[in-house]
Amino acid sequence: MRLVILLALLMTTPLVAQDVVVSKYFNGGNKQSAIGDTVELTVIKDGFDMQGYTLRDFAIISSTNTFTTDPFTSGSGYFHFANIPFWQKLRAGTIIILPYAADEAQWQGDTVVMVGLLNMTYFTRDGGTFNIAESDMIMLKRVTTSTYGTEGNIHALSAGLTIKDVSGIVPLVRTSDDASGARPYAVPDNIAGNLSDYNSSRAGTVAYAPFGRATNAANQRFLDSLRRSRTSLTSVVAKPSLYRLRLAPIPASKDCEVNFRIDAADTVIISVLDMLGNSQILYHFYHTAGDQSIRVSLANVAQGAYFLVIKTNNAEWREKISVVR
């Protein structure tokens, strides 16, 4: 009887290789556009080819307050990863940060890359209106499946949706919390330190979660194990020109210390970018190569949520920061 039950489960449960997972997302809170929205992915399979994959979100129908997966409605849209060599041979343990912006690709070592979803060198889109909401789901889909619905799901992360809403969607990590303004980050709990963290209801929403870094010690062990599994590939990731970024304190009040490294002498510009796209330069100075430690004043920055942007002539990096008084 146990054998019959096991066979039945295998026949009815989708067997999906999790080559990449949705590891975090951030709801920027703008109901008219996706400004500030950010998705983070983690590559599981070494040498993974993401060309042609689809990243999409879903929506709640306002008139009926019901979750829908098809068709596309206001606040629901998608991006295709472009068919370019950049998305080939991604290394295990690589974290991919995808802000709703037109940023050029910037590497932090060989473990983190950030590239804007609106940069049409790296993505294509031809329909829908991508906009992360308080109750939403971010999904990665296989190359050969339609952008509509949930068929072809590789992995999904949802917040604020019921078990009934996401019934049959596998693999998935779900939190019942809304990704609201007070707690806009949807993040797995990462308590096991392995792939099971991304297939459960062990998740929540938080006020802040750093992109490009582990959420806790167990998650760091998992990322380390993925990176140790890397094999030799013919392609080599170009050495970055700005990396090892660290900010302290977070949240910040009167000032903030910015630590990073550059491999060549360059001009460094540090600015804050608010959620409406307004920028304010805080620092502009020429630096020699090596480790950098810069303290910038936030005295003239109003309380609120920002991206702190560190830019040289060859690289740009941004990190979410809250200014409190």
Side-chain angles (χ1 to χ4, degrees), residues 218-240:
N219 188 220
Q220 185 64 61
R221 289 194 299 272
F222 180 50
L223 292 174
D224 291 342
S225 70
L226 291 174
R227 292 161 186 169
R228 285 194 299 269
S229 74
R230 293 177 174 183
T231 58
S232 177
L233 296 177
T234 55
S235 64
V236 178
V237 175
K239 192 174 184 180

Side-chain angles (χ1 to χ4, degrees), residues 24 60 126 139 143 148 152 196 237 248 259 276 285 321:
K24 297 185 189 80
I60 300 291
D126 39 274
M139 177 179 287
V143 179
Y148 292 90
S196 70
V237 175
N259 297 286
L276 297 177
F285 204 80
I321 186 172

Side-chain angles (χ1 to χ4, degrees), residues 3-288:
L3 180 59
V4 171
I5 294 173
L6 177 60
L7 289 173
L9 288 172
L10 289 174
M11 292 172 62
T12 57
T13 302
L15 299 178
V16 179
Q18 283 186 262
D19 298 331
V20 59
V21 297
V22 183
S23 45
K24 297 185 189 80
Y25 71 71
F26 170 68
N27 171 23
N30 191 313
K31 297 184 183 300
Q32 283 68 51
S33 77
I35 293 173
D37 290 354
T38 305
V39 177
E40 181 191 277
L41 311 176
T42 298
V43 178
I44 306 300
K45 178 185 177 182
D46 198 36
F48 178 57
D49 185 349
M50 195 176 280
Q51 293 180 105
Y53 278 68
T54 300
L55 178 78
R56 68 156 297 180
D57 75 330
F58 296 85
I60 300 291
I61 299 176
S62 57
S63 60
T64 59
N65 196 34
T66 55
F67 175 68
T68 180
T69 61
D70 190 27
F72 288 106
T73 61
S74 178
S76 174
Y78 61 90
F79 294 89
H80 295 303
F81 289 79
N83 292 315
I84 56 175
F86 181 86
W87 296 119
Q88 295 177 334
K89 298 181 180 179
L90 296 173
R91 308 313 308 267
T94 298
I95 297 175
I96 303 171
I97 306 171
L98 304 171
Y100 189 83
D103 297 358
E104 290 291 333
Q106 299 294 338
W107 284 93
Q108 181 182 3
D110 63 350
T111 57
V112 180
V113 63
M114 181 178 71
V115 56
L117 288 168
L118 298 180
N119 190 318
M120 294 298 102
T121 298
Y122 302 94
F123 299 94
T124 61
R125 61 189 299 197
D126 39 274
T129 307
F130 186 95
N131 192 350
I132 298 176
E134 295 180 1
S135 298
D136 211 332
M137 178 167 62
I138 304 299
M139 177 179 287
L140 274 167
K141 304 185 68 178
R142 289 195 301 271
V143 179
T144 55
T145 52
S146 170
T147 51
Y148 292 90
T150 62
E151 181 185 359
N153 170 42
I154 292 297
H155 186 256
L157 169 59
S158 73
L161 301 179
T162 67
I163 293 176
K164 181 180 179 181
D165 288 334
V166 298
S167 176
I169 299 174
V170 178
L172 164 79
V173 60
R174 182 190 76 89
T175 169
S176 59
D177 302 340
D178 288 341
S180 63
R183 299 167 63 90
Y185 292 82
V187 188
D189 291 343
N190 296 117
I191 59 176
N194 56 44
L195 196 55
S196 70
D197 286 329
Y198 301 94
N199 296 274
S200 68
S201 293
R202 297 191 303 269
T205 59
V206 296
Y208 173 75
F211 286 115
R213 297 203 294 272
T215 55
N216 55 32
N219 188 220
Q220 185 64 61
R221 289 194 299 272
F222 180 50
L223 292 174
D224 291 342
S225 70
L226 291 174
R227 292 161 186 169
R228 285 194 299 269
S229 74
R230 293 177 174 183
T231 58
S232 177
L233 296 177
T234 55
S235 64
V236 178
V237 175
K239 192 174 184 180
S241 55
L242 191 163
Y243 55 109
R244 296 182 188 170
L245 177 65
R246 295 290 184 272
L247 307 179
I250 296 178
S253 179
K254 296 180 179 179
D255 52 32
C256 178
E257 187 174 279
V258 185
N259 297 286
F260 58 95
R261 181 178 178 83
I262 52 176
D263 286 333
D266 207 339
T267 299
V268 175
I269 301 174
I270 301 176
S271 59
V272 287
L273 181 70
D274 68 21
M275 297 308 162
L276 297 177
N278 302 309
S279 180
Q280 177 182 345
I281 295 177
L282 304 178
Y283 182 90
H284 188 161
F285 204 80
Y286 184 82
H287 281 253
T288 58

